[in-house]
Amino acid sequence: MKCPSHQDLNWVAFVNKQVDDERDYRNALETCESCLQLFAASLENNLKSPSPGFVDKVMAGLPPTSNSQINKRPRHWPWLHYAAAACITLALVHLGYFDYIYLIPEELQLLEHSAGAGDHVLSMIDTFKSLIDFIIVKGV
């Protein structure tokens, strides 16, 4: 089959890398739907199936696994996550973080009309950053 627009192009030769100038072929692939279909068909015809026993050789080369290796995660991992979340929550409660969050809407309403509202928000952000830095450095 030939493309009506590009009859001089041999797609089988292009797939087998037997052409000297690939520029015309690449331009045809970019602009012509028929050439793209012919190229795909040539690629499909050029594909070779693997030799018999190929899959068996590959599978034999893989390291053996057992069910115990697949499920290596200990059963106590969820409890460790729960304990870490509880510790972080207790630290935030102890530091008064949740009380502070509860008061933020009232403070913002009071500061909404004042000139220092932006500075107050920035100071809250700096306080939060220092709290995060403290938690990361101390490992709380």
Side-chain angles (χ1 to χ4, degrees):
M1 290 176 60
K2 296 278 186 181
C3 173
S5 306
H6 305 97
Q7 292 191 6
D8 57 326
L9 299 179
N10 184 357
W11 290 106
V12 175
F14 178 71
V15 168
N16 293 329
K17 298 188 189 269
Q18 298 172 346
V19 295
D20 295 329
D21 188 21
E22 294 182 356
R23 190 175 340 131
D24 294 334
Y25 290 92
R26 295 191 189 279
N27 288 337
L29 285 175
E30 292 174 1
T31 58
C32 181
E33 181 70 29
S34 177
C35 287
L36 185 61
Q37 290 175 357
L38 289 170
F39 174 68
S42 298
L43 277 178
E44 187 176 322
N45 292 337
N46 199 25
L47 291 177
K48 296 178 183 173
S49 62
S51 62
F54 173 76
V55 174
D56 295 330
K57 290 177 187 175
V58 170
M59 293 303 286
L62 295 176
T65 59
S66 66
N67 289 340
S68 63
Q69 289 178 341
I70 292 172
N71 194 5
K72 268 191 161 181
R73 186 188 294 189
R75 292 182 181 216
H76 62 276
W77 272 107
W79 291 104
L80 289 176
H81 288 250
Y82 176 76
C87 290
I88 291 171
T89 304
L90 287 175
L92 291 175
V93 167
H94 177 71
L95 294 172
Y97 181 73
F98 295 112
D99 296 333
Y100 186 67
I101 288 177
Y102 178 72
L103 296 175
I104 286 176
E106 294 174 10
E107 290 177 7
L108 289 178
Q109 288 176 1
L110 293 174
L111 294 172
E112 189 174 33
H113 301 292
S114 69
D119 294 334
H120 183 70
V121 171
L122 289 176
S123 69
M124 289 188 323
I125 291 172
D126 289 337
T127 305
F128 186 69
K129 283 183 187 177
S130 64
L131 176 65
I132 296 295
D133 290 338
F134 175 76
I135 290 172
I136 291 173
V137 170
K138 294 293 183 179
V140 175

